[in-house]
Amino acid sequence: MSKGTQANPELTDQSVHNRVRGFAAGMASGITKLVVGHPFDTIKIRMQTTSKSDGRFKGPLDCFLKTVSREGPRALYKGATPPLVGWMFMDSIMLGTLHNARILMQRWNGDKPLSVFQHGLAGLAGGITVSFVATPVEQIKARLQVQYDSGNKVYKGPIDCVKQVVRNNGIFGLWQGLLPTMLFRSWFFVFWGSYEVFTKELSKLNMTDGTVTFVAGGLSATAFWAGAFPSDVVKNRYMTQPDVSPKKFPTPTSVARFVYKTEGLAGFYRGFLPSFLRAFPTNASAVFMFEFVMNLLGKEKPLLLFAIPKKGRLHEQCLQLLSGSDIHFNRRTRQDIALCTNLPIALIFLPASDIPKYVAEGNVDLGISGQDMIVESEVQDKVTEIMELEFGKCRLCVQVPVKGEYQTIEQLAGKRIVTSFDAFARKVFEPIDQTAGTKTTINYVSGSVEAACALGLADGIIDLVESGETMRAAGLHDIHTLLNTQSVLMSNKNSHHQDLIDKITSRIRGVIAANKYVLCTYNVERVNLPRAVQITPGRQAPTVSSLDSHEGWVAVSAMIEKKRKGEIMDLLTEVGATDIMVVAFTNCRV
């Protein structure tokens, strides 16, 4: 199921393991489907292959009661052996094909999520593919299910049934009914397309994931059977006709004509009630088991989604931060999603300006962007600013021409302002306009804001200032600082990955500390230790140990600021320290 407006990261995983587990989970689904659904299926088949004129059954309940009373409860599982084996392979093939079709289409989509139509196409691919396995299995199952009297059995069991079908019709007789089977199973387009819709809508109702899966699976099956049932009637009647020559129904279309002629449209829905009653619990259980096993195999283990700026200086600095934090990933060319290879994380590469919104709305769990972007997105109350990252530092300033007539922010009231931060600018000028009784015009541009005054588009601008070179080159100077900003690590307040967020935070904090500090070690006489400790107090306290080989001397190690290492080494030398070494490190825990 897609999440938000981004692709499901696990569908971008091209590994063999990811491709195979869909087939494995499908086997579990097939077993579940048999255990829950076969009694319903027996009643359905018996209703479908008889007509009202036969007088054998008055309805589904009558069919159930007569079957149990005359043949015993075990009769409800007649013909269960072929589907026990067959459905394991059938669901394995169908759901494995479904999963791999989704992976293939996700590769075409890039970072866009699969549409409902594409989920339907994946279901169609699974349905058509499995038809080649399902046809012989369902033919043997159906023939065994319509043996009503124990004294007049045509087939002794599944193997005998296979032998007789092959003897009477040839080996390809096992695939008698392939076309109606393909037509019937093409309705899996509806099943998996509607499943995507149901899961999205039910997820809004604050249900657990398991409940959403179960209910959505049942509702999708109901939609499937409502449309597919007529083709199932034709398929089963065509498959279970006696092996005589000439055949009563030479083609599937002759079955359809016969049903319509003798029973009308209602004939195509004979036996629908047990099928309808069977559809929800059987398929809800099967889909639930499929998702459950996929989860056990790791497929649905939720990944933490971590949004990273996709380009520019922030992008490069974030990559260095991730590398230092030992977060490894492989990013395919032109793809904006990358799976981490050593942690359950998917990196989502987005424009920096969009990241606060994605974090606030829960589309991603964690993100890196500027504090200015958080303010502009107006999501300060919806995200948690975990820590400042010590890069991307700048000021959001009001700027005007150096020789212009407006030199205070109050003088710009009622004038023209151009900015990329229009939401924030409106909040800034709203109280100023109320006081002055004016209406300041705020115009948005996405780039080259500094050119607006020279082009006559603005009386002043609001833009970021880092070194000030661009501002001065445009003949501008800043008259008011609105915000001091830098890059921050932020998280969604309701993320379910708090333990992993804490781990990532600890690693990043260690990288930042490693960028600011180096480890300084030296030897010094104990009498000079107090003076040395004043020079190297460390983050909390230095580590001091005695030197066995030099009585009265100690070895000291402490973290010192990298930018002061030269000065500190000089001061240590002055107090008599020797063997002074400074060692850089890439990460730490502080």
Side-chain angles (χ1 to χ4, degrees):
M1 183 181 69
S2 303
K3 183 177 181 179
T5 58
Q6 291 293 314
N8 181 348
E10 294 183 354
L11 293 182
T12 66
D13 182 3
Q14 303 290 323
S15 68
V16 174
H17 177 65
N18 187 39
R19 291 179 178 276
V20 168
R21 50 188 161 184
F23 293 98
M27 295 180 71
S29 170
I31 295 172
T32 304
K33 190 178 293 183
L34 176 90
V35 173
V36 177
H38 195 78
F40 292 95
D41 193 58
T42 297
I43 302 302
K44 181 201 72 169
I45 292 288
R46 292 190 169 195
M47 291 296 298
Q48 285 180 328
T49 53
T50 60
S51 61
K52 288 184 178 180
S53 60
D54 294 340
R56 186 181 292 272
F57 306 120
K58 297 177 183 179
L61 180 60
D62 182 55
C63 179
F64 171 79
L65 294 174
K66 286 182 177 178
T67 297
V68 174
S69 63
R70 294 175 181 176
E71 304 171 60
R74 293 179 61 183
L76 296 172
Y77 282 92
K78 277 188 175 181
T81 303
L84 175 61
V85 178
W87 275 352
M88 286 172 58
F89 288 102
M90 285 159 54
D91 272 28
S92 175
I93 291 170
M94 185 188 73
L95 296 175
T97 302
L98 168 85
H99 182 57
N100 280 272
R102 286 172 169 173
I103 292 174
L104 178 62
M105 286 188 282
Q106 187 61 69
R107 189 172 183 179
W108 295 339
N109 276 21
D111 60 345
K112 294 181 181 179
L114 297 186
S115 65
V116 171
F117 181 76
Q118 287 176 309
H119 280 282
L121 286 180
L124 176 63
I128 295 299
T129 302
V130 77
S131 295
F132 293 92
V133 177
T135 301
V137 172
E138 293 189 344
Q139 180 166 182
I140 301 306
K141 172 179 70 72
R143 286 178 180 242
L144 292 172
Q145 284 176 314
V146 296
Q147 294 191 118
Y148 301 104
D149 303 315
S150 58
N152 297 313
K153 283 186 176 181
V154 178
Y155 310 111
K156 298 176 183 178
I159 296 177
D160 181 55
C161 184
V162 171
K163 289 180 178 179
Q164 290 196 45
V165 170
V166 173
R167 183 171 61 247
N168 295 331
N169 304 289
I171 187 66
F172 291 107
L174 293 171
W175 279 270
Q176 176 178 279
L178 175 61
L179 289 179
T181 299
M182 294 176 74
L183 176 62
F184 166 67
R185 291 185 174 273
S186 68
W187 281 86
F188 278 110
F189 177 94
V190 174
F191 187 108
W192 290 105
S194 64
Y195 179 75
E196 180 68 8
V197 174
F198 287 134
T199 50
K200 285 183 177 179
E201 294 304 315
L202 291 171
S203 296
K204 300 176 182 178
L205 302 180
N206 200 29
M207 294 181 175
T208 64
D209 291 344
T211 303
V212 169
T213 298
F214 187 87
V215 175
L219 293 175
S220 299
T222 303
F224 168 86
W225 279 106
F229 198 83
S231 58
D232 192 45
V233 170
V234 172
K235 170 178 70 73
N236 287 327
R237 289 207 179 187
Y238 184 68
M239 285 179 170
T240 58
Q241 62 179 311
D243 291 328
V244 296
S245 184
K247 290 185 178 294
K248 181 178 180 181
F249 303 118
T251 63
T253 54
S254 63
V255 177
R257 286 195 296 267
F258 176 81
V259 172
Y260 182 73
K261 182 178 179 180
T262 57
E263 301 179 60
L265 291 176
F268 290 104
Y269 282 89
R270 181 167 173 77
F272 179 72
L273 182 58
S275 181
F276 179 79
L277 295 175
R278 165 187 178 272
F280 194 102
T282 302
N283 289 278
S285 301
V287 173
F288 178 85
M289 182 59 68
F290 172 71
E291 301 285 7
F292 175 74
V293 174
M294 289 288 266
N295 183 49
L296 287 181
L297 296 177
K299 184 264 176 190
E300 287 297 336
K301 189 176 292 182
L303 297 175
L304 180 144
L305 303 184
F306 192 171
I308 303 295
K310 67 186 300 182
K311 60 183 179 180
R313 188 182 302 176
L314 286 186
H315 172 75
E316 297 301 326
Q317 291 172 315
C318 285
L319 293 186
Q320 294 176 16
L321 192 64
L322 294 175
S323 177
S325 302
D326 198 30
I327 298 175
H328 305 305
F329 63 95
N330 295 316
R331 185 185 182 190
R332 294 176 180 271
T333 305
R334 301 176 66 86
Q335 284 199 354
D336 288 338
I337 296 177
L339 294 179
C340 293
T341 57
N342 61 333
L343 288 170
I345 299 172
L347 299 178
I348 316 295
F349 296 91
L350 298 169
S353 58
D354 292 340
I355 289 176
K357 292 180 182 178
Y358 279 95
V359 174
E361 294 173 7
N363 298 110
V364 297
D365 302 283
L366 203 60
I368 294 177
S369 189
Q371 292 167 316
D372 52 305
M373 298 299 179
I374 296 176
V375 171
E376 175 62 17
S377 300
E378 301 179 291
V379 294
Q380 299 96 312
D381 297 334
K382 297 181 180 179
V383 301
T384 299
E385 288 189 30
I386 299 175
M387 61 185 298
E388 296 177 338
L389 300 178
E390 304 296 331
F391 60 79
K393 291 184 177 181
C394 50
R395 296 177 297 124
L396 187 59
C397 298
V398 180
Q399 304 169 38
V400 296
V402 174
K403 298 180 180 180
E405 59 179 304
Y406 310 115
Q407 296 300 316
T408 67
I409 188 172
E410 289 76 16
Q411 290 176 334
L412 289 171
K415 304 303 185 292
R416 299 168 302 160
I417 302 295
V418 167
T419 182
S420 297
F421 300 87
D422 54 317
F424 183 55
R426 289 188 178 90
K427 285 190 173 182
V428 169
F429 277 94
E430 183 178 353
I432 297 174
D433 283 337
Q434 288 178 351
T435 301
T438 57
K439 177 64 176 178
T440 302
T441 301
I442 309 293
N443 291 318
Y444 171 84
V445 295
S446 60
S448 300
V449 179
E450 68 280 353
C453 291
L455 294 174
L457 300 176
D459 300 302
I461 67 170
I462 295 178
D463 201 12
L464 293 172
V465 175
E466 186 175 3
S467 65
E469 290 183 10
T470 302
M471 174 182 66
R472 289 188 290 271
L476 305 174
H477 70 137
D478 66 276
I479 59 172
H480 190 84
T481 297
L482 301 173
L483 178 70
N484 288 303
T485 177
Q486 64 174 296
S487 296
V488 294
L489 179 69
M490 72 189 87
S491 68
N492 178 267
K493 291 189 173 182
N494 299 313
S495 174
H496 299 297
H497 299 276
Q498 194 56 52
D499 289 344
L500 187 52
I501 289 174
D502 291 342
K503 178 183 289 187
I504 295 169
T505 300
S506 177
R507 290 189 180 191
I508 291 177
R509 202 182 301 278
V511 174
I512 292 173
N515 289 335
K516 292 176 63 177
Y517 295 92
V518 289
L519 183 65
C520 180
T521 65
Y522 57 90
N523 299 330
V524 68
E525 288 187 89
R526 188 175 291 277
V527 293
N528 294 325
L529 179 61
R531 295 168 61 196
V533 168
Q534 287 183 342
I535 299 170
T536 59
R539 284 179 54 86
Q540 295 182 349
T543 300
V544 180
S545 56
S546 298
L547 286 177
D548 294 337
S549 58
H550 293 74
E551 187 176 351
W553 284 71
V554 293
V556 182
S557 61
M559 292 174 66
I560 63 173
E561 289 187 80
K562 184 184 295 185
K563 63 183 180 181
R564 294 188 60 230
K565 63 180 184 292
E567 174 192 353
I568 290 173
M569 293 174 74
D570 292 338
L571 293 173
L572 288 173
T573 302
E574 292 176 6
V575 299
T578 63
D579 303 318
I580 304 170
M581 291 189 298
V582 170
V583 181
F585 48 92
T586 59
N587 206 328
C588 63
R589 294 294 183 269
V590 293

